[in-house]
Amino acid sequence: MTQRELVAPDEMKHLVERFNYSPAVKVGNLLFAAGQVGRDADMNVIDSSLEDHIVAAWENVGKVLAAAGASYEDIVEMTTFHVELQEQLPLFLEIKDRYIPRTAVPPAWTAIGITELTFPKQLVEIKVVALIP
């Protein structure tokens, strides 16, 4: 059986007990991160603006990556879920480029438009797979 390791930044450890899921699972040198949303450590949705919400989601992705010893540069695949995808996409792309460096081989990416996420006012969720250096 392949060894799996729980990866959870300190501020997300309560999620393991509360919701019975891992913020991320490390298998070998791969990190499978659960979708991160625009919320703070107390599970409050960031609803001041769409930009603040998307930035918070990316910051949460970064916290999960860092807990595993990885960074945004190590992302090999991402899936994003968007409430009102077409309205979000231009701003999401702009913000994504702040976090994901432009390289000859960018991460594989699938963007999916949806009607709602887990909690009211959540607008975007970012799920990644990273290769841990």
Side-chain angles (χ1 to χ4, degrees):
M1 183 170 160
T2 304
Q3 289 288 357
R4 297 182 301 168
E5 179 184 332
L6 167 70
V7 175
D10 287 339
E11 67 185 59
M12 295 182 191
K13 288 184 177 176
H14 70 280
L15 299 173
V16 178
E17 288 186 25
R18 183 173 175 194
F19 296 108
N20 191 32
Y21 88 95
S22 301
V25 174
K26 179 181 172 185
V27 179
N29 62 344
L30 287 175
L31 180 72
F32 299 89
Q36 297 300 311
V37 295
R39 61 161 179 79
D40 64 20
D42 295 321
M43 299 293 291
N44 298 311
V45 175
I46 306 298
D47 61 359
S48 49
S49 72
L50 177 59
E51 181 172 4
D52 291 346
H53 187 85
I54 295 170
V55 166
W58 278 112
E59 290 293 322
N60 286 331
V61 168
K63 291 172 187 173
V64 171
L65 291 167
S71 68
Y72 297 104
E73 291 84 9
D74 300 312
I75 295 172
V76 295
E77 180 187 28
M78 63 184 188
T79 304
T80 58
F81 303 89
H82 306 262
V83 176
E84 300 178 6
L85 173 62
Q86 294 306 312
E87 291 179 25
Q88 277 191 24
L89 201 53
L91 181 59
F92 185 85
L93 288 167
E94 176 188 320
I95 296 168
K96 177 184 74 67
D97 285 349
R98 297 178 201 168
Y99 292 91
I100 304 292
R102 290 194 171 263
T103 63
V105 183
W109 176 29
T110 302
I112 302 169
I114 59 172
T115 57
E116 64 183 348
L117 286 165
T118 311
F119 294 103
K121 297 185 182 179
Q122 288 181 342
L123 302 172
V124 66
E125 186 166 336
I126 305 167
K127 178 183 180 316
V128 300
V129 176
L131 186 60
I132 302 169

